[in-house]
Amino acid sequence: AQSVTQLGSHVSVSEGALVLLRCNYSSSVPPYLFWYVQYPNQGLQLLLKYTTGATLVKGINGFEAEFKKSETSFHLTKPSAHMSDAAEYFCAVSELSNTGKLIFGQGTTLQVKP
Amino acid sequence: DAGVIQSPRHEVTEMGQEVTLRCKPISGHDYLFWYRQTMMRGLELLIYFNNNVPIDDSGMPEDRFSAKMPNASFSTLKIQPSEPRDSAVYFCASAREGDVLTFGAGSRLTVL
């Protein structure tokens, strides 16, 4: 069975600092991996995804993530945090394809301090 | 494109009442998903459809929950009777085959 673990339900960084949100997954087959962002009172928006190929994936708003099979990880990073990055971030895994049953982590709330 | 449209955005009801949540997927998308978000359980997949046919409903909590997709442009999630523990944000999402999901803004349900 698939599962996703996001380490740290709350992460706080200063504006301009590195953002690192951790995600580890469990999957019996090569996974499809996703990061979504949720702003208050809004739906989820796709930040980036990994399917196959290059393990370093770039997404919107300057975010990127690296798929590390040996570590079963897919951590999300951004070199310099902006106030507008404050939101909740969800890591998700799917075994089937881009389109299928997404299993989400519990989410990490990112706070950005001025 | 208007995106995935959900209604109502907010619903407050009393225990025992019937609740119907509605979703209009993006035109041309042949997959539709219903997710529930709570503080305790996070985001859970309830059910999903492909070409209007339910494919996996293993996440539907119990018989009080039902979902239908009578045509490609409309789906409902019904709770009857509702209970306080059903309070959550319910998301609908749609997608084309091989493409990523697009989520609606959600329906926030409060059952008193």
Side-chain angles (χ1 to χ4, degrees), chain A residues 38 43 90 98-102, chain B residues 35 37 56 91 96 98-99 104:
Chain A
Q38 184 181 28
F90 293 92
N98 280 317
T99 308
K101 188 172 178 177
L102 286 180
Chain B
Y35 279 85
Q37 184 179 34
D56 184 348
F91 287 102
R96 284 195 183 94
D99 207 351

Side-chain angles (χ1 to χ4, degrees), chain A residues 21-99:
Chain A
L21 304 182
R22 298 177 188 274
C23 172
N24 287 89
Y25 69 91
S26 172
S27 178
S28 57
V29 299
Y32 287 72
L33 295 160
F34 307 82
W35 275 99
Y36 281 84
V37 60
Q38 184 181 28
Y39 298 102
N41 300 313
Q42 294 187 28
L44 281 75
Q45 178 184 359
L46 180 70
L47 273 179
L48 49 80
K49 66 178 182 181
Y50 169 80
T51 54
T52 58
T55 57
L56 182 62
V57 180
K58 295 187 184 300
I60 62 172
N61 301 337
F63 284 94
E64 61 183 36
E66 187 171 10
F67 169 61
K68 292 187 176 180
K69 184 178 178 181
S70 61
E71 298 177 8
T72 60
S73 69
F74 191 57
H75 302 331
L76 181 70
T77 60
K78 182 174 180 177
S80 176
H82 193 272
M83 297 297 290
S84 61
D85 294 328
E88 189 159 18
Y89 292 79
F90 293 92
C91 182
V93 64
S94 172
E95 286 185 349
L96 297 178
S97 68
N98 280 317
T99 308

Side-chain angles (χ1 to χ4, degrees), chain B residues 12-29:
Chain B
V12 180
T13 190
E14 293 190 346
M15 184 174 64
Q17 296 298 305
E18 178 179 293
V19 173
T20 299
L21 307 178
R22 298 172 178 81
C23 176
K24 177 178 169 54
I26 293 172
S27 177
H29 284 193

Side-chain angles (χ1 to χ4, degrees), chain B:
Chain B
D1 198 322
V4 177
I5 300 173
Q6 292 187 245
S7 64
R9 290 294 314 276
H10 301 275
E11 172 102 3
V12 180
T13 190
E14 293 190 346
M15 184 174 64
Q17 296 298 305
E18 178 179 293
V19 173
T20 299
L21 307 178
R22 298 172 178 81
C23 176
K24 177 178 169 54
I26 293 172
S27 177
H29 284 193
D30 45 12
Y31 283 82
L32 184 139
F33 303 79
W34 282 101
Y35 279 85
R36 177 172 68 174
Q37 184 179 34
T38 62
M39 289 292 291
M40 292 296 294
R41 301 173 67 90
L43 274 158
E44 306 171 276
L45 176 65
L46 300 178
I47 184 171
Y48 78 94
F49 297 82
N50 179 216
N51 291 322
N52 313 336
V53 176
I55 302 301
D56 184 348
D57 65 355
S58 60
M60 294 287 264
E62 49 198 272
D63 291 347
R64 296 186 298 106
F65 285 69
S66 63
K68 294 182 180 179
M69 192 164 185
N71 57 62
S73 59
F74 184 66
S75 176
T76 60
L77 178 67
K78 189 171 292 188
I79 308 172
Q80 166 63 17
S82 59
E83 296 181 3
R85 61 192 167 121
D86 302 329
S87 298
V89 181
Y90 291 82
F91 287 102
C92 177
S94 70
R96 284 195 183 94
E97 174 74 48
D99 207 351
V100 296
L101 278 62
T102 299
F103 283 78
S107 294
R108 181 177 296 276
L109 173 65
T110 302
V111 183
L112 302 175

